[in-house]
Amino acid sequence: MATATDKKPATMAQALQRAMRDAMAEDPTVHVLGEDVGTLGGVFRVTDGLAKEFGEDRCTDTPLAEAGILGTAVGMAMYGLRPVVEMQFDAFAYPAFEQLISHVAKMRNRTRGAMAMPIVVRVPYGGGIGGVEHHSDSSEAYYMATPGLQVVTPATVEDAYGLLRAAIASDDPVVFLEPKRLYWSKSDWSPEAPAAVEPIGKAVVRRSGRSATLITYGPSVPVCMEAAEAAREEGWDLEVVDLRSLVPFDDETVCASVRRTGRAVVVHESAGFGGPGGEMAARITERCFHHLEAPVLRVAGFDIPYPPPMLEKHHLPGVDRVLDAVARLQWEAEH
Amino acid sequence: MTVQELPGAAAYRPTPPPAWRPRTDPAPLLPDPEPHRVLGTGAELDRALMLKLYAELVRGRRFNAQATALTKQGRLAVYPSSTGQEACEVAAALALEERDWLFPSYRDTLAAVARGLDPVQALTLLRGDWHTGYDPREHRIAPLCTPLATQLPHAVGLAHAARLKGDDVVALALVGDGGTSEGDFHEALNFAAVWQAPVVFLVQNNGFAISVPLAKQTAAPSLAHKAVGYGMPGRLVDGNDAPAVHQVLSEAVARARRGGGPTLIEAVTYRMEAHTNADDATRYRGSAEVDAWRDHDPIRILEGELTARGILDEDGIRAAAEAAETMAAALRDQMNADPVLDPMDLFAEVYAEKNGQLREQAAQLRAELEAEAR
C-alpha cells in the first residue's frame, strides 16, 4: 500500500504524464493527440508510454499540422470525446489559432450551451532553455484576451498533476501552458498519492510576507521565490502569489494579499506592453487603491521578439530585476 | 474496441506503415474526365427518389427566394443565396442517413432545411438573434460555419471519433471553390486520408469566391484532382444534375461507411445570385454568362427529363409548387414575428460557470436594463 513515505523525486514532466495516464485510465473518452506524442512520447517525453499502454487510437501521432490537430479535436469533442492536444512548442501553436479562437473558445456560446468543448490544449511555453528562434515564446496574453478559454499554468510538480487533471475534467476548453524550463524541476512526490486535484481559478500564496506582494505564475514563480529569499538581506519580507490560473483570475487571493502588504509587483516573462501584467495592475488598482503605498509595478520581458539563446539572459526577468522593482516601491514614504 | 477490430478495418490505418513508398498507380484516384451526368444519358431513374428530389428542389428554390425577400424587408441581416445550387444542397441532405452528420458552410442553410431542420432555427445566424439556432447534436448538423473551410477538420475529427467508437456514422462536409484555397481544406483532407476517416467532402464549385473567379483561385486541372495528392479518390459531377450529385454522393457515403475512407467530390454549378444581398455581381460578371447557366438550371433540366419520361405530370408540378408556397408563407409569418431577445443571454454560456468579471459585467448590464425600464 502506497503511503506518503513512498515519495521520491519526480519531475514536472513525469507528473504531467501521470495526470494524462490517470485520466485516460479513468475515462475512455480521454484521447491524446499531437505531433510525436505516440511512439516517441513527445519531444519533452511528457506523453511517454501512453501509446504503449492505451494504444495508438488513444494516443495518436498526427500529421504535422496544428490547425488540423486542433480542428479534428473539435470534431472529436463534438462526438463526445475529451481530446488532450499537444502543441509541440509555443510558437508552433499559432497555426491552430483560428480553430482555437473561432471554434474552441466560442462553441459553447454560439450553440447556447448545447455543445461544450472539453478540450485541453497543452502548450510548452516560455524561454530559458537555450532554444533557437520560435521555441521560447510566452504566448499567454493572446489566449487571455479570448473569452471562452481558460488559461492555466503550473509552477510546481504537484500542481502540474493536479491542474492538468482538473483541466481534463473541465467541460470548457483549457489552454494549459507548461513552463518548459520547469519540465525537469523535481519534487518529492508520489504518483500513488498525488496531490489533490486543484480547482482551476485558485491562486496560492507560495510564501507569506508583510512588506510587498510578488504576483507571478509559471516559470517566474521560482525566480520570485529566490528573489524573496534574497530580499531578506535588504529587510524586505516578500509575499509570493502563484496565480496558477490566469483565466479565471483569482482577484480574491491577489487582492487579499495586496491589502495586507500595500505594495505589489507583477512578474512575468511575457512582453510588458499589452501583456498580462497590465491587466493585473489595473485590477489591483481598481480594487485595492486605498491600500496601496506605491503604484503597482511590472517586471516583464522586454517588448522585443524573443532573443537568440546567447542573449536571452538579458531579456528574462531575473532575481536582480525583481529586486530592483521592489526597491522602487516608494519605501521612503514609510519614514 | 480498437479500430483494427472493426468491420472493414483492414483499410483503416490510424498510423502509417513503417516503410512508406510512393504510390505507383494513382490512376484509380483520378476524377471523372467529364462531370458525371445522369440526366440526358438514358440512365434508369428511381421514380420515388426523382419525385422527392424534384419536390425538394422546388421547395429549396422558393426558400432561397423567400429568404432573399426577407433581407429586403429587414427581417434577415444577410442571406447568401444558394439559388442555382439547389441540386447540391438537396442531394447532400438526402444522401445521408439519420445518424450521419452534415457540416455546412454559411451558404448551406438550404441543405440543413432539406435535412429537416426548422427553417427559422436554420436562419437564426442570418437573422442575427443568435449564432446557432439549433442543437447540433439533436439534428447532427454542425453550426453553419462562416470562417471558410474551418469546418472540414471538424468533420474529419467527428468521423474519426465515430469510427473509433464503432459507430458506422459518416460525416459530409460542404465547402465552396474559394474554400479549397484555405489551409484547413488541405489539412482536413490530409488527416482524413491518413486516418481513412469516414468523411465525404463536397466542393460546390459555383464559379466565384465573392468576385474572384476560379481561374484566379487555382491552377489545378480540376478541384477534384486535388484528391490524388492526398491519396483519396476524386469525383467530378455536374452539380446541377440532381440525380447525378445524389448518385455520386451516395456512392461516396456508402464507401466511407464500409471503411473505404474519404472521397473528394467537385460539383460544377453556378451561383445565380450575387454573393449575398449586400453584393453587386454586375461588377465582376456579365449577364450573358448568367443567362447561359439559366439553360442548365437544376430544376429546369430535372423537370424536363421527368416530364419527358412520364415520371412527373402537370399535377405533380402544381403540387410541388403549392407545397413550396405553403412553406414560404409559413416562413414569412414566422419571420415577421420579432424574436424574443434576452440581453442577459450574452453572459449565460461563455463558460459553464461565470467567472468573476463576467459576474460583474452581467450585474452591470442588468442594472443598465433596469434603469432603461424605469
Side-chain angles (χ1 to χ4, degrees), chain A residues 12-13 44 89-90 124-130 135-136 138 154-155 178-186 216-224 226 267-270 306 312 315-319:
Chain A
M12 182 182 280
F44 293 106
F89 278 89
D90 32 56
Y125 83 119
I129 61 158
H135 288 78
S136 299
S138 290
E178 299 172 359
K180 63 172 91 76
R181 74 176 135 120
L182 300 184
Y183 269 147
W184 305 281
S185 63
K186 285 186 177 176
T216 188
Y217 56 88
S220 297
V221 170
V223 175
C224 287
E226 199 184 328
V267 182
H268 57 61
E269 282 185 31
S270 175
Y306 197 85
E312 70 178 335
H315 171 73
L316 292 169
V319 170

Side-chain angles (χ1 to χ4, degrees), chain A residues 103-121:
Chain A
H103 292 294
V104 174
K106 293 179 178 170
M107 194 67 85
R108 173 188 285 281
N109 179 257
R110 65 207 279 239
T111 61
R112 286 186 182 274
M115 208 157 61
M117 284 282 117
I119 296 177
V120 179
V121 183

Side-chain angles (χ1 to χ4, degrees), chain A residues 308-331:
Chain A
M310 294 174 78
L311 290 169
E312 70 178 335
K313 67 175 187 288
H314 301 291
H315 171 73
L316 292 169
V319 170
D320 289 346
R321 213 171 278 165
V322 174
L323 292 176
D324 283 350
V326 172
R328 286 187 284 121
L329 288 171
Q330 301 188 2
W331 300 99

Side-chain angles (χ1 to χ4, degrees), chain B residues 104-134:
Chain B
S105 80
Y106 59 85
R107 198 179 296 288
D108 304 311
T109 316
L110 178 54
V113 171
R115 211 175 177 219
L117 185 63
D118 174 69
V120 176
Q121 289 184 17
L123 286 169
T124 296
L125 168 77
L126 303 166
R127 187 190 217 181
D129 51 310
W130 201 256
H131 308 300
T132 299
Y134 51 92

